[in-house]
Amino acid sequence: LPSTSLFVDFCEDLVKTLPHDYIQGKITSVVKNSISGNSGAPFRVELDSGRRFLSSKAVILATGPTGCPIVPPDLKSIPCDSGRLLMWPQLNQVKSKSQRILVVGGGLTAVQVALKLIKLGKNVILCSRRHLVEKHFDIGLEWFDMRTSNRCISDFYHQELPERFAALKHARDGGSVPPFYMKQVRSAEQSGRLIRVVGDAQHDSSQQDSAGRVHISIVSSSSKKEEQRPKNFCVDQIVLACGIKPDCRANPVVESILESWPIPVHAGFPSITEDLQWKEDLPLYVVGSLGSLNIGPDA
């Protein structure tokens, strides 16, 4: 695979050779363009809550993963507005006085969050439902190998949409951690700054703490009796990095598009055409994870 520096050089070369305009802003909706004189531009792209807008002849959605953050059932009793339960994008809300942080998740994001907190001087407990899986990519190498990738894609396309969604989950297998990061994880463990625990984190609401700390029990699903005994921890804050449940409607931009150009939604993904087009004769395209049902697990 190309290095990051090579990819940056490639992008910079494209910038020099292709005509483009770069506009920074937050898109809040994409709707039908009703402004007269813009019959050749069917889209009105609103930025910054309608304070600016663009007329566009075509739109490409490359929004990345879209959905609702997953909160483990046994942690839902902790109010999100208490400041004690955070989602990983809220890492800047970790308090300076918090010394012991519980990170919940078993993929690369959870590991990156844990390592970031350790660099900030925190002691971290990393709780995952299974042992961390060490490999370079979430999906199998057969999806990258030119000798087998076409067969994988063909088999994927010939499945019905419900089977495709199941195939996505099976191929991605709950996430993994590259060796580069696992080396840092082991080093942090040896230093005593990181504790890894396998099991389900449960909030022990029966115990109150005058300092506002959270009492957590981590229960293993292992069949081994010595591993079934709950491990109890008292932490200052919890950071969740448990992934998302796919739901394209959670993105206001996608929701606005669905209102203007309705199409079916399956398992949280828009049902686009095989050409990654929102619908026939509409120059609106979807790339990346939002098009997973038509691209495959390597989207």
Side-chain angles (χ1 to χ4, degrees), residues 14 122 125 153 163 190 205 207 210 225 273:
L14 289 180
K122 312 298 184 184
I125 302 162
I153 294 171
E163 285 73 28
Q190 292 174 358
S205 57
Q207 299 194 51
S210 58
K225 288 186 178 181
T273 72

Side-chain angles (χ1 to χ4, degrees), residues 21 26 31 43 60 86 107-108 128 132 135 147 156 171 174 183 190 202 216 231 242-243 257 277 289 294:
D21 291 312
K26 181 180 180 180
V31 298
F43 303 105
I60 300 174
L86 306 174
L108 176 57
S128 57
L132 299 181
K135 56 182 180 178
R147 297 167 295 182
F156 182 78
K183 183 178 180 180
Q190 292 174 358
Q202 301 177 357
I216 296 293
K231 295 182 174 72
C242 305
I257 294 172
Q277 200 166 357
S289 63
N294 288 77

Side-chain angles (χ1 to χ4, degrees), residues 11 26 32 43 45 48 50 56-57 65 70 84 95 119 122 131 143 155-157 167 188 190 252 260:
C11 293
K26 181 180 180 180
K32 293 180 179 179
F43 303 105
V45 182
D48 306 322
S56 176
K57 293 182 178 180
I70 295 174
R84 294 180 295 173
K95 300 174 183 177
K119 288 182 179 179
K122 312 298 184 184
H131 292 283
W143 286 91
D155 291 345
F156 182 78
Y157 282 158
Q190 292 174 358
S260 296

Side-chain angles (χ1 to χ4, degrees), residues 8-84:
V8 170
D9 289 342
F10 172 71
C11 293
E12 290 177 348
D13 185 67
L14 289 180
V15 169
K16 297 174 184 177
T17 56
L18 296 176
H20 71 284
D21 291 312
Y22 176 73
I23 299 174
Q24 185 173 4
K26 181 180 180 180
I27 295 177
T28 50
S29 67
V30 177
V31 298
K32 293 180 179 179
N33 197 348
S34 59
I35 299 177
S36 59
N38 285 296
S39 58
F43 303 105
R44 176 184 170 93
V45 182
E46 296 185 348
L47 292 87
D48 306 322
S49 300
R51 290 192 292 270
R52 294 186 293 161
F53 71 90
L54 303 170
S55 294
S56 176
K57 293 182 178 180
V59 171
I60 300 174
L61 287 178
T63 57
T66 301
C68 301
I70 295 174
V71 180
D74 294 318
L75 297 180
K76 289 184 178 180
S77 59
I78 305 173
C80 290
D81 58 359
S82 65
R84 294 180 295 173

Side-chain angles (χ1 to χ4, degrees), residues 169-186:
K169 296 181 66 176
H170 177 74
R172 291 171 178 169
D173 194 28
S176 59
V177 183
F180 172 79
Y181 287 99
M182 282 302 300
K183 183 178 180 180
Q184 297 179 54
V185 166
R186 296 186 183 100

Side-chain angles (χ1 to χ4, degrees), residues 115-290:
L115 294 174
K116 173 68 173 179
L117 290 171
I118 290 170
K119 288 182 179 179
L120 293 175
K122 312 298 184 184
N123 293 305
V124 176
I125 302 162
L126 178 59
C127 173
S128 57
R129 297 185 67 185
R130 65 176 185 178
H131 292 283
L132 299 181
V133 178
E134 181 177 353
K135 56 182 180 178
H136 288 282
F137 307 103
D138 285 345
I139 63 176
L141 294 180
E142 64 271 15
W143 286 91
F144 300 102
D145 193 327
M146 294 179 61
R147 297 167 295 182
T148 55
S149 59
N150 286 341
R151 176 61 182 272
C152 291
I153 294 171
S154 176
D155 291 345
F156 182 78
Y157 282 158
H158 282 83
Q159 297 183 72
E160 297 296 328
L161 291 179
E163 285 73 28
R164 289 189 192 182
F165 180 66
L168 289 177
K169 296 181 66 176
H170 177 74
R172 291 171 178 169
D173 194 28
S176 59
V177 183
F180 172 79
Y181 287 99
M182 282 302 300
K183 183 178 180 180
Q184 297 179 54
V185 166
R186 296 186 183 100
S187 175
E189 281 187 292
Q190 292 174 358
S191 71
R193 303 299 299 276
L194 175 68
I195 299 174
R196 274 199 284 167
V197 186
V198 177
D200 291 302
Q202 301 177 357
H203 176 216
D204 186 356
S205 57
S206 64
Q207 299 194 51
Q208 303 296 325
D209 195 302
S210 58
R213 291 174 295 185
V214 187
H215 291 265
I216 296 293
S217 294
I218 299 179
V219 182
S220 173
S221 58
S222 172
S223 58
K224 298 179 180 179
K225 288 186 178 181
E226 64 272 15
E227 295 181 4
Q228 292 177 354
R229 183 179 300 173
K231 295 182 174 72
N232 300 314
F233 299 94
C234 186
V235 299
D236 297 301
Q237 287 181 287
I238 301 171
V239 181
L240 300 182
C242 305
I244 63 171
K245 179 181 179 181
D247 182 7
C248 62
R249 295 184 183 274
N251 186 320
V253 176
V254 177
E255 178 67 17
S256 70
I257 294 172
L258 283 167
E259 291 178 0
S260 296
W261 300 278
I263 61 172
V265 175
H266 295 279
F269 296 96
S271 182
I272 58 178
T273 72
E274 291 185 1
D275 297 322
L276 306 185
Q277 200 166 357
W278 190 261
K279 60 194 311 184
E280 298 291 345
D281 302 323
L282 184 70
L284 171 60
Y285 299 87
V286 177
V287 298
S289 63
L290 197 60

